[in-house]
Amino acid sequence: MYWGDCMARRLQGAERCDCDVIHEDVVNSVKDKMPQEEILYDLAEFFKIFGDSTRIKILWALDESEMCVCDISVLLNMTQSAVSHQLRILKQADLVKSRKEGKIVYYSLLDEHIRQIFDQGLSHTIEEN
Amino acid sequence: MYWGDCMARRLQGAERCDCDVIHEDVVNSVKDKMPQEEILYDLAEFFKIFGDSTRIKILWALDESEMCVCDISVLLNMTQSAVSHQLRILKQADLVKSRKEGKIVYYSLLDEHIRQIFDQGLSHTIEEN
DNA sequence: TGAACGCTTGAATAAATGTTCAAGTATTCA
DNA sequence: TGAATACTTGAACATTTATTCAAGCGTTCA
């Protein structure tokens, strides 16, 4: 059962696993405790959002104050287009919301604990030095 | 002073900023509070490590138990090579350490609060549903 | 109405990233 | 010593990703 994928392929001669199982007990027990594939995938997708300095800057800025696209693009010295593309990604990830006032679109944080997430990351980064 | 980069370019006709400044006061005050460029860059680099499901899985596994490369590759149904490449990235980021015992290399977590970081990410992911 | 402004969008481009492949190193053991 | 095992490494490849460019949409205001 446990070796469903891997062993099945081995029997088919696919040689997906290019090594012998050394600590079968450890692997089995870890496999039992591992969360669903999908959960870990979503988790990675979530952190991917924070893995770009432009988006980090935008989130940091919006944590200080609601801002329009133009303001952000001036602040970061980027084109409105580039900023707008990143804002779309942040919005799709439910990290940011927008409201329209005439021609101007104001963006602000949707998630309250973004600062907490930053702090967690910073505490590691600082530890290194 | 504040507009050093942006305004200088505008005067040179470079048109880097394709908009007028709408809320100069907001942009200035946010600019004051923004951390150093390098800090935000490092922060993004840190989260980038967690932005890949293979690395998330490896970290999760190592949080359960110390494992050798072969064990991990069987657990995740990947080649040793692919796992080894990712372990190198995790090691360079000081998230993982290794010890050698004969032919076998055992990897384990170097950072104690990886689970905390996961939990923070998960709490957001779960909120969505 | 039409020009100007703020923003968005899709396609194109360049850069970064993950995995594979084919070699390599280091260690064990017969 | 030499074959086998565990792992590493660099180059190649395919995929993803961020930014740019050019065009478009929606709103305001003269």
Side-chain angles (χ1 to χ4, degrees), chain B residues 83-120:
Chain B
V83 170
S84 181
H85 278 298
Q86 296 301 342
L87 283 169
R88 189 170 49 81
I89 292 173
L90 293 173
K91 201 171 179 181
Q92 283 174 348
D94 290 309
L95 291 172
V96 143
K97 66 175 182 287
S98 65
R99 72 184 172 85
K100 197 165 185 179
E101 205 171 273
K103 292 182 290 185
I104 303 173
V105 179
Y106 292 95
Y107 281 87
S108 58
L109 288 193
L110 190 56
D111 193 306
E112 294 303 322
H113 55 283
I114 282 183
R115 181 60 68 102
Q116 286 173 45
I117 294 169
F118 284 166
D119 287 343
Q120 195 107 45

Coordinates of all heavy atoms in Angstrom, one line a residue, chain B residues 83-120:
Chain B
V83 N 16.4 15.8 -5.7 CA 16.3 16.1 -4.2 C 17.6 16.7 -3.7 O 17.6 17.7 -3.0 CB 16.0 14.8 -3.4 CG1 16.2 14.9 -2.0 CG2 14.7 14.2 -3.8
S84 N 18.7 16.2 -4.2 CA 20.0 16.7 -3.8 C 20.1 18.2 -4.2 O 20.7 19.0 -3.4 CB 21.1 15.9 -4.5 OG 22.4 16.4 -4.1
H85 N 19.7 18.6 -5.4 CA 19.7 20.0 -5.8 C 18.9 20.8 -4.9 O 19.4 21.9 -4.5 CB 19.2 20.1 -7.2 CG 20.2 19.8 -8.3 ND1 21.3 20.5 -8.5 CD2 20.2 18.8 -9.2 CE1 22.0 20.0 -9.5 NE2 21.3 19.0 -10.0
Q86 N 17.8 20.4 -4.5 CA 16.9 21.2 -3.6 C 17.5 21.3 -2.2 O 17.4 22.3 -1.5 CB 15.5 20.6 -3.5 CG 14.8 20.7 -4.9 CD 14.6 22.1 -5.4 OE1 14.8 23.1 -4.7 NE2 14.4 22.2 -6.7
L87 N 18.1 20.2 -1.8 CA 18.8 20.2 -0.4 C 19.9 21.2 -0.4 O 20.1 21.8 0.7 CB 19.3 18.8 -0.1 CG 18.2 17.8 0.4 CD1 18.7 16.4 0.4 CD2 17.6 18.2 1.7
R88 N 20.6 21.3 -1.5 CA 21.7 22.3 -1.5 C 21.1 23.7 -1.4 O 21.7 24.5 -0.6 CB 22.4 22.2 -2.9 CG 23.7 23.0 -2.9 CD 24.5 22.7 -4.2 NE 23.7 22.7 -5.4 CZ 23.4 23.8 -6.0 NH1 23.8 25.0 -5.6 NH2 22.6 23.8 -7.1
I89 N 20.0 24.0 -2.0 CA 19.4 25.3 -1.9 C 19.0 25.6 -0.4 O 19.2 26.6 0.2 CB 18.2 25.4 -2.8 CG1 18.6 25.5 -4.3 CG2 17.3 26.7 -2.5 CD1 17.5 25.4 -5.3
L90 N 18.4 24.5 0.2 CA 17.9 24.7 1.6 C 19.1 24.8 2.5 O 19.0 25.5 3.5 CB 17.1 23.4 2.0 CG 15.8 23.3 1.3 CD1 15.1 21.9 1.6 CD2 14.8 24.4 1.7
K91 N 20.2 24.2 2.2 CA 21.4 24.3 3.0 C 22.0 25.7 2.9 O 22.4 26.3 3.9 CB 22.4 23.2 2.6 CG 23.5 22.9 3.7 CD 24.3 21.7 3.3 CE 25.3 21.4 4.3 NZ 26.2 20.2 3.9
Q92 N 22.1 26.2 1.7 CA 22.6 27.5 1.5 C 21.8 28.6 2.2 O 22.3 29.6 2.6 CB 22.7 27.8 0.0 CG 23.8 27.2 -0.7 CD 23.8 27.4 -2.2 OE1 22.7 27.8 -2.8 NE2 24.8 27.0 -2.9
A93 N 20.5 28.3 2.4 CA 19.6 29.2 3.0 C 19.6 29.0 4.6 O 18.8 29.6 5.3 CB 18.2 29.1 2.5
D94 N 20.5 28.1 5.0 CA 20.6 27.9 6.4 C 19.4 27.3 7.1 O 19.0 27.6 8.2 CB 21.1 29.1 7.2 CG 22.5 29.5 6.9 OD1 23.4 28.6 7.0 OD2 22.8 30.6 6.5
L95 N 18.6 26.6 6.3 CA 17.4 26.0 6.8 C 17.6 24.5 7.2 O 16.8 23.9 7.9 CB 16.3 26.1 5.8 CG 15.8 27.5 5.5 CD1 14.8 27.5 4.3 CD2 15.1 28.0 6.7
V96 N 18.7 24.0 6.7 CA 19.0 22.5 6.8 C 20.4 22.3 7.0 O 21.3 23.1 6.6 CB 18.5 21.9 5.5 CG1 19.4 20.8 5.0 CG2 17.0 21.4 5.6
K97 N 20.8 21.3 7.8 CA 22.2 20.9 8.0 C 22.3 19.4 7.6 O 21.3 18.7 7.5 CB 22.6 21.1 9.4 CG 22.0 20.3 10.5 CD 22.6 20.6 11.8 CE 22.0 19.8 12.9 NZ 20.7 20.2 13.4
S98 N 23.6 19.0 7.4 CA 23.8 17.6 7.1 C 25.0 17.0 7.9 O 25.9 17.7 8.3 CB 24.1 17.4 5.6 OG 25.3 18.1 5.3
R99 N 24.9 15.7 8.1 CA 26.0 15.0 8.7 C 26.2 13.7 7.9 O 25.3 13.1 7.4 CB 25.7 14.7 10.2 CG 24.7 13.6 10.4 CD 24.4 13.4 11.9 NE 23.3 12.4 12.0 CZ 23.4 11.1 12.0 NH1 24.6 10.6 11.9 NH2 22.4 10.3 12.1
K100 N 27.5 13.3 7.8 CA 27.8 12.1 7.0 C 28.2 11.0 7.8 O 28.9 11.1 8.8 CB 29.0 12.5 6.1 CG 29.2 11.5 4.9 CD 30.1 12.1 3.8 CE 30.2 11.2 2.6 NZ 31.1 11.8 1.6
E101 N 27.6 9.8 7.5 CA 27.9 8.6 8.2 C 28.2 7.5 7.2 O 27.3 6.9 6.6 CB 26.6 8.2 9.1 CG 27.0 7.4 10.3 CD 25.7 7.2 11.2 OE1 25.5 8.1 12.1 OE2 25.0 6.2 11.0
G102 N 29.4 7.3 7.0 CA 29.8 6.4 5.9 C 29.4 6.9 4.6 O 29.7 8.1 4.3
K103 N 28.7 6.2 3.8 CA 28.3 6.6 2.5 C 27.0 7.5 2.6 O 26.7 8.2 1.6 CB 27.9 5.4 1.6 CG 29.1 4.6 1.2 CD 28.6 3.4 0.3 CE 27.8 2.4 1.0 NZ 27.5 1.3 0.1
I104 N 26.4 7.4 3.7 CA 25.1 8.0 3.8 C 25.1 9.4 4.4 O 25.9 9.7 5.4 CB 24.1 7.2 4.7 CG1 24.1 5.8 4.1 CG2 22.8 7.8 4.8 CD1 23.3 4.8 5.0
V105 N 24.4 10.4 3.8 CA 24.3 11.7 4.3 C 22.9 12.0 4.9 O 21.9 11.8 4.2 CB 24.6 12.7 3.1 CG1 24.5 14.2 3.7 CG2 25.9 12.5 2.5
Y106 N 22.9 12.3 6.2 CA 21.7 12.6 6.8 C 21.4 14.1 6.9 O 22.3 14.9 7.3 CB 21.7 12.0 8.2 CG 21.7 10.5 8.3 CD1 22.9 9.8 8.4 CD2 20.5 9.8 8.2 CE1 22.9 8.4 8.4 CE2 20.5 8.4 8.2 CZ 21.7 7.7 8.3 OH 21.7 6.3 8.3
Y107 N 20.2 14.5 6.5 CA 19.8 15.9 6.6 C 18.8 16.1 7.7 O 18.0 15.2 8.0 CB 19.2 16.3 5.3 CG 20.2 16.6 4.2 CD1 20.7 15.6 3.4 CD2 20.7 17.9 4.0 CE1 21.6 15.9 2.4 CE2 21.6 18.2 3.1 CZ 22.1 17.2 2.3 OH 23.0 17.4 1.3
S108 N 18.9 17.3 8.3 CA 17.9 17.6 9.4 C 17.7 19.1 9.4 O 18.5 19.9 8.8 CB 18.4 17.1 10.7 OG 19.6 17.6 11.0
L109 N 16.7 19.6 10.1 CA 16.4 21.0 10.2 C 17.4 21.8 11.0 O 17.9 21.3 12.0 CB 15.0 21.2 10.8 CG 13.8 20.9 9.9 CD1 12.6 21.4 10.5 CD2 14.0 21.3 8.5
L110 N 17.8 22.9 10.5 CA 18.7 23.8 11.3 C 17.9 24.9 12.0 O 18.2 25.4 13.1 CB 19.7 24.5 10.3 CG 20.8 25.2 10.9 CD1 21.6 24.3 11.8 CD2 21.7 25.7 9.7
D111 N 16.7 25.2 11.4 CA 15.9 26.3 12.0 C 14.8 25.7 12.8 O 14.0 24.8 12.3 CB 15.4 27.2 10.8 CG 14.7 28.5 11.4 OD1 13.9 28.4 12.2 OD2 15.1 29.5 10.9
E112 N 14.6 26.1 14.0 CA 13.7 25.5 14.9 C 12.2 25.9 14.6 O 11.3 25.1 15.0 CB 14.0 25.8 16.3 CG 15.3 25.3 16.8 CD 15.4 23.8 16.7 OE1 14.4 23.1 16.9 OE2 16.5 23.2 16.3
H113 N 12.0 27.1 14.0 CA 10.6 27.5 14.0 C 10.0 27.4 12.6 O 9.2 28.3 12.2 CB 10.5 28.9 14.5 CG 11.4 29.9 13.9 ND1 12.7 30.0 14.2 CD2 11.2 30.9 13.0 CE1 13.2 31.0 13.6 NE2 12.3 31.6 12.8
I114 N 10.4 26.4 11.8 CA 9.9 26.2 10.5 C 8.4 25.9 10.6 O 7.6 26.3 9.8 CB 10.7 25.2 9.7 CG1 12.0 25.8 9.2 CG2 9.9 24.6 8.6 CD1 12.8 24.9 8.4
R115 N 8.1 25.1 11.6 CA 6.7 24.7 11.7 C 5.8 26.0 12.0 O 4.7 26.1 11.5 CB 6.5 23.7 12.9 CG 5.1 23.2 13.2 CD 4.5 22.5 12.0 NE 5.2 21.3 11.7 CZ 4.7 20.1 12.0 NH1 3.5 20.0 12.5 NH2 5.3 19.0 11.7
Q116 N 6.4 26.9 12.7 CA 5.6 28.2 13.0 C 5.4 28.9 11.6 O 4.3 29.4 11.4 CB 6.5 29.1 13.9 CG 6.5 28.7 15.3 CD 7.5 29.5 16.1 OE1 7.5 30.7 16.0 NE2 8.3 28.9 16.9
I117 N 6.4 28.9 10.8 CA 6.2 29.6 9.5 C 5.2 28.9 8.7 O 4.3 29.6 8.1 CB 7.6 29.6 8.8 CG1 8.6 30.5 9.5 CG2 7.4 30.2 7.3 CD1 10.0 30.4 9.0
F118 N 5.2 27.6 8.7 CA 4.2 26.8 8.0 C 2.8 27.2 8.5 O 1.8 27.4 7.7 CB 4.4 25.3 8.1 CG 5.5 24.8 7.3 CD1 6.0 23.5 7.5 CD2 6.0 25.5 6.2 CE1 7.1 23.0 6.8 CE2 7.1 25.0 5.4 CZ 7.6 23.7 5.7
D119 N 2.7 27.2 9.8 CA 1.4 27.4 10.4 C 0.8 28.8 10.1 O -0.4 28.9 9.8 CB 1.5 27.3 12.0 CG 1.6 25.9 12.4 OD1 1.3 25.0 11.6 OD2 2.0 25.6 13.6
Q120 N 1.7 29.8 10.0 CA 1.3 31.1 9.6 C 0.7 31.1 8.2 O -0.3 31.7 7.9 CB 2.5 32.0 9.7 CG 2.2 33.5 9.6 CD 2.4 34.1 11.0 OE1 3.4 33.9 11.6 NE2 1.5 34.9 11.4

